[in-house]
Amino acid sequence: MKNLPIISLALLLLSVSCNESEPTEMSDSEIATRQVIVDQDSFDQAWSSLQTSAPDSDPFDLVDLRNDSTLLIIDVAYGGGCEQHTFELIWPEVITMIYPPRYTVILNHDAHDDNCEAYLSSTLYFDLNETDLGFTPDIMNVIDLTIINGSNGDDVLKLND
């Protein structure tokens, strides 16, 4: 009984220490959305931005790259937790006449001013058959693809290298 006031005080402090501004649980689809852009001007702008000290992309890390049929699967990690994030995979409008086809693309990240400090991991799925690219499973199995992090040009992943 002597500890009852201490326990009551501890429970009271715990109940008021949580506030409504804390991040809520979000599903993967709510945490990050993704888009494929096939546009030479967008690619040129993203490439130019990489050459500056302040790229247009918010910081993130490329973790892993793989494919399953026509799905390009990219694992990423980034800070946040309070807002939905957007990732854009930007392809140049170039037709490659070599075999296997070789492409360099840029993945940009928009954190939408998310100032939360959790370190999140997401898996991004891009179906490259449903885009303007129209890649088949046969092409995806041989394509020489380089993904460049739009916030850090030194962070690169390769598919089928």
Side-chain angles (χ1 to χ4, degrees):
M1 286 307 256
K2 289 167 99 177
N3 292 334
L4 187 57
I6 293 173
I7 293 172
S8 298
L9 179 61
L11 289 173
L12 177 64
L13 287 174
L14 283 173
S15 68
V16 297
S17 66
C18 296
N19 63 40
E20 293 178 25
S21 66
E22 289 183 13
T24 58
E25 292 288 323
M26 290 193 236
S27 69
D28 284 346
S29 62
E30 293 172 317
I31 291 172
T33 60
R34 76 278 178 281
Q35 175 181 9
V36 175
I37 298 172
V38 182
D39 179 70
Q40 191 63 47
D41 290 336
S42 297
F43 182 84
D44 291 344
Q45 180 180 348
W47 184 263
S48 295
S49 173
L50 268 173
Q51 313 309 312
T52 69
S53 60
D56 291 338
S57 177
D58 288 321
F60 71 101
D61 295 312
L62 290 171
V63 177
D64 191 35
L65 174 65
R66 61 199 177 281
N67 74 294
D68 182 4
S69 186
T70 61
L71 277 180
L72 184 65
I73 305 165
I74 307 172
D75 294 324
V76 295
Y78 49 92
C82 295
E83 301 293 332
Q84 186 177 46
H85 293 230
T86 304
F87 288 87
E88 296 176 332
L89 189 60
I90 306 170
W91 292 71
E93 285 181 322
V94 175
I95 298 173
T96 181
M97 300 303 285
I98 59 172
Y99 189 83
R102 183 177 304 150
Y103 292 95
T104 298
V105 299
I106 299 171
L107 183 64
N108 275 349
H109 169 225
D110 185 349
H112 300 283
D113 298 321
D114 188 346
N115 292 320
C116 290
E117 297 179 6
Y119 192 65
L120 306 172
S121 296
S122 290
T123 300
L124 309 174
Y125 298 89
F126 299 93
D127 190 340
L128 301 183
N129 188 39
E130 293 182 359
T131 66
D132 291 340
L133 299 166
F135 288 158
T136 64
D138 291 338
I139 294 294
M140 290 298 294
N141 287 330
V142 297
I143 190 171
D144 179 1
L145 181 63
T146 302
I147 307 278
I148 300 175
N149 181 330
S151 68
N152 174 4
D154 295 327
D155 187 10
V156 173
L157 292 175
K158 292 185 177 260
L159 181 68
N160 299 326
D161 186 29

